[in-house]
Amino acid sequence: MLQNFDDRAERLVEFGALRPSEDFICLAGTAGEFLLASIEATWVYGFFPATVLTSHAFCRLQLAGLIRQLPEDADLPQEGGSLEELANIASTRRVIGVDVEAQLVSLHDRASDYAVAGLQEFNRNLDRHIREVEAATDNAALQIDARAAIRCVWELLVPKR
């Protein structure tokens, strides 16, 4: 039990270190604030797939909020679509850089692997990903995925001015 407590304490410290040093604005509203709290809780308690999925949901809401801050655009669709589509819209309109877009596309892919529900056959992408990551590193793939998802969240927070 002590090891479990030590792991949680270590992740809490890491979460604080990953967090932006300045105050930020969450444009995702109340849902975004709840999701941010859930991201921290799932990370600290080691529920890494939940961290990925919650971060994915937060990033969709936050990107939509960032895009809404732009001047009106008749070419903009009414609905945001997938995280990948939102990242492309935001990148095209220079709300985010290409590097952040790439991170968000990766998060989209990973969250899809966690949440896919194939009706004809079992999706083995996640199993393959976990085997490949764990063969190449000394870290657990789920924890690596969750850490990358948290970094995406922090990339989308707007500093208070």
Side-chain angles (χ1 to χ4, degrees):
M1 189 64 159
L2 183 59
Q3 173 65 32
N4 200 2
F5 177 78
D6 290 343
D7 290 346
R8 289 193 313 257
E10 186 176 306
R11 285 192 297 271
L12 181 60
V13 169
E14 182 180 356
F15 191 83
L18 291 171
R19 187 182 184 100
S21 58
E22 51 197 273
D23 287 340
F24 54 84
I25 300 171
C26 175
L27 298 173
T30 304
E33 291 174 16
F34 289 152
L35 288 169
L36 276 175
S38 296
I39 291 165
E40 181 176 9
T42 58
W43 169 255
V44 169
Y45 282 93
F47 301 127
F48 302 131
T51 304
V52 171
L53 293 171
T54 308
S55 296
H56 178 270
F58 175 84
C59 288
R60 285 189 69 228
L61 292 173
Q62 185 74 358
L63 267 179
L66 290 167
I67 293 167
R68 282 193 302 270
Q69 301 295 309
L70 297 172
E72 285 195 36
D73 182 350
D75 294 332
L76 207 57
Q78 284 292 325
E79 295 295 318
S82 71
L83 179 58
E84 183 175 15
E85 293 166 340
L86 284 167
N88 181 264
I89 291 168
S91 178
T92 301
R93 287 162 177 79
R94 292 193 162 87
V95 173
I96 60 171
V98 176
D99 56 330
V100 175
E101 178 184 11
Q103 291 174 40
L104 292 167
V105 169
S106 180
L107 174 57
H108 167 81
D109 292 345
R110 195 59 53 231
S112 296
D113 287 344
Y114 282 106
V116 71
L119 298 178
Q120 298 299 321
E121 64 181 34
F122 178 71
N123 183 335
R124 300 193 192 295
N125 290 344
L126 182 61
D127 295 334
R128 185 177 328 109
H129 164 73
I130 290 170
R131 278 193 311 275
E132 289 171 358
V133 169
E134 291 181 353
T137 69
D138 291 336
N139 296 317
L142 299 179
Q143 190 170 8
I144 291 170
D145 292 344
R147 188 178 290 113
I150 292 168
R151 287 190 178 110
C152 287
V153 167
W154 297 145
E155 289 287 344
L156 296 182
L157 291 172
V158 178
K160 282 186 181 176
R161 303 216 190 288

